[in-house]
Amino acid sequence: MYYDDLPIWGFIGKVDKEGKADPSEYKYFLYKHIQFDIRYNKDRVIEINARTDPHSMVDVTDDKDVDVEFMYTVKWTETDAPFEKRMEKYSQTSSMPHHLEIHWFSIINSCVTVLLLTGFLATILMRVLKNDFIKYAHDEESADDQEETGWKYIHGDVFRYPKYKSLFAAALGSGTQLFTLTVFIFILALVGVFYPYNRGALFTALVVIYALTSGIAGYTATSFYCQLEGTNWVRNLLLTGCLFCAPLFLTFCFLNTVAIIYSATAALPFGTIVVIVLIWTLVTSPLLVLGGIAGKNSKAEFQAPCRTTKYPREIPALPWYRSTIPQMAMAGFLPFSAIYIELYYIFASVWGHRIYTIYSILFIVFIILLIVTAFITVALTYFQLAAEDHEWWWRSFLCGGSTGLFIYGYCLYYYYARSDMSGFMQTSFFFGYMACICYGFFLMLGTVGFRASLLFVRHIYRSIKCE
């Protein structure tokens, strides 16, 4: 509950499990008397706590109607604590020494992982690439009749446009928009907009900023699609608009219906739904179209350092661990391991009753996530090209985004091992909304992975002479 913007939580009943092995023998009790302890300073409420009276319980184990008379008592106590300090109690729970210690330990652990990984990859790639450059320069001077192998020799195919380029451009557009949205949310959080009792601020900010950044999605998707010599840019724009919104809208409709059937307060009121639909119609869609038109007229060309040959080379048979799924598992595990401790705290505040206030730590973790994702994708792209597999476009996107799948895997673990959720409504809400969030992560990190790989591929092919 909330009283004067202060959150209060407590149990409305208890389950008696003592000495009973079989769950069917458990006894269920409902508290009918709640005691509120309120501390006030002049005309301001400073603190509130709720206690339950163990002597006034009603047995509700049997499935039958019970008449209960609910009561509450309020005890007012005067205090000298100033009004400005009333939120400290909530900030302290997440800033307690042991919490902070774990937070900083996880960050140091992640930073060490990142430094080792980046150092390791940079050393390997620099050394290997240097050797490659020397070898290719030497090969050009010697006779041309020797066997050609390695990444240089697929230069005629490496910039061959990917299959399903409309979908690829739409995914890039949506990913770029979600990345911009995340950055804006972090800026607002660090400025102090999402203070603990400002309910609904995060949700409102997400809806508004998502609507305002849709122009970025339209521009990115259409300009990239036109660079890939796509012709049907209107269809591409529609796909971009629906790629993230459609699954989100369908999930929301289903979950809201479930909440209405259960008569739960989680169901959004009709007025709010109308406002969201209006925002989508009057702000999101026009901005998306304007962005698309600007992207189409930007006339940017795809800068490929090498000319693409007419016919694609055949990709040699590769071992199973070089296929897409094992590579995605490899690419997703490292970024996930860098953020999973922080995930626990976020889940505890979103799906539990903890309050999350340490946004600076979260921002550092986010930066680490981006760096690790970019580096691991670049490394895997290099190994793929070295094996003469030139279909790296989709692979780099899927490898970058695979962390989203790991986060969803963590959801399963959290649901069964850490949370006490049960029942159809809680389960569907948890897995439904987490699926949308993880899908958003997939698109955003996939975009980061692909952009990093594109920079890298352009760089190495610019450094060698390509006939």
Side-chain angles (χ1 to χ4, degrees), residues 296-454:
K296 178 184 167 285
N297 297 333
S298 65
K299 295 280 189 292
E301 285 184 16
F302 185 76
Q303 282 137 4
C306 314
R307 218 173 45 247
T308 302
T309 53
K310 203 170 184 182
Y311 303 105
R313 276 170 83 109
E314 196 178 330
I315 297 169
L318 297 169
W320 65 270
Y321 56 83
R322 292 225 182 223
S323 60
T324 308
I325 304 289
Q327 297 275 296
M328 281 173 72
M330 227 181 294
F333 178 72
L334 262 168
F336 173 74
S337 66
I339 62 164
Y340 87 99
I341 293 180
E342 209 57 30
L343 276 181
Y344 169 71
Y345 288 98
I346 295 166
F347 274 57
S349 67
V350 174
W351 298 105
H353 51 69
R354 289 243 179 101
I355 290 178
Y356 196 95
T357 55
I358 319 177
Y359 295 112
S360 49
I361 289 185
L362 195 59
F363 187 61
I364 297 169
V365 171
F366 178 66
I367 300 289
I368 289 170
L369 174 68
L370 296 181
I371 294 170
V372 180
T373 303
F375 261 90
I376 196 76
T377 315
V378 163
L380 289 171
T381 302
Y382 171 76
F383 294 132
Q384 187 184 352
L385 296 176
E388 295 183 37
D389 178 354
H390 54 78
E391 292 180 351
W392 63 275
W393 299 68
W394 272 109
R395 178 80 64 87
S396 64
F397 190 93
L398 293 171
C399 285
S402 57
T403 310
L405 302 176
F406 274 85
I407 297 174
Y408 202 63
Y410 180 81
C411 293
L412 288 165
Y413 162 74
Y414 183 84
Y415 179 81
Y416 289 108
R418 292 288 175 90
S419 79
D420 290 329
M421 292 189 214
S422 61
F424 179 71
M425 184 181 155
Q426 282 192 322
T427 308
S428 58
F429 258 69
F430 180 73
F431 286 111
Y433 282 128
M434 284 315 299
C436 292
I437 291 168
C438 293
Y439 175 53
F441 260 95
F442 176 80
L443 290 172
M444 179 177 78
L445 294 174
T447 303
V448 170
F450 169 71
R451 289 288 183 195
S453 297
L454 182 62

Side-chain angles (χ1 to χ4, degrees), residues 196-319:
Y197 58 88
N198 191 358
R199 286 175 294 150
L202 179 63
F203 182 71
T204 310
L206 283 169
V207 171
V208 172
I209 297 172
Y210 184 82
L212 294 175
T213 52
S214 56
I216 294 171
Y219 179 82
T220 310
T222 312
S223 66
F224 198 79
Y225 181 63
C226 293
Q227 282 179 38
L228 300 183
E229 294 167 16
T231 48
N232 197 342
W233 68 276
V234 178
R235 195 184 67 180
N236 173 250
L237 204 56
L238 280 171
L239 189 59
T240 309
C242 297
L243 196 64
F244 184 70
C245 277
L248 186 66
F249 180 70
L250 291 172
T251 310
F252 167 75
C253 287
F254 171 70
L255 295 177
N256 214 47
T257 310
V258 170
I260 290 166
I261 292 167
Y262 276 84
S263 322
T265 51
L268 272 191
F270 183 70
T272 311
I273 297 171
V274 170
V275 169
I276 291 174
V277 170
L278 282 174
I279 288 175
W280 198 85
T281 318
L282 302 175
V283 181
T284 309
S285 306
L287 282 175
L288 186 75
V289 172
L290 286 172
I293 293 167
K296 178 184 167 285
N297 297 333
S298 65
K299 295 280 189 292
E301 285 184 16
F302 185 76
Q303 282 137 4
C306 314
R307 218 173 45 247
T308 302
T309 53
K310 203 170 184 182
Y311 303 105
R313 276 170 83 109
E314 196 178 330
I315 297 169
L318 297 169

Side-chain angles (χ1 to χ4, degrees), residues 187-195 198 201 205:
I187 291 168
L188 290 179
L190 294 170
V191 166
V193 174
F194 308 126
Y195 43 93
N198 191 358

Side-chain angles (χ1 to χ4, degrees), residues 35-42 44-47 74-80:
Q35 161 93 38
F36 292 105
D37 294 324
I38 302 178
R39 290 168 176 265
Y40 68 96
N41 185 351
K42 296 191 178 81
R44 296 287 207 171
V45 173
I46 305 299
E47 191 182 332
V74 186
K75 185 183 174 193
W76 295 85
T77 317
E78 201 162 358
T79 177
D80 298 331

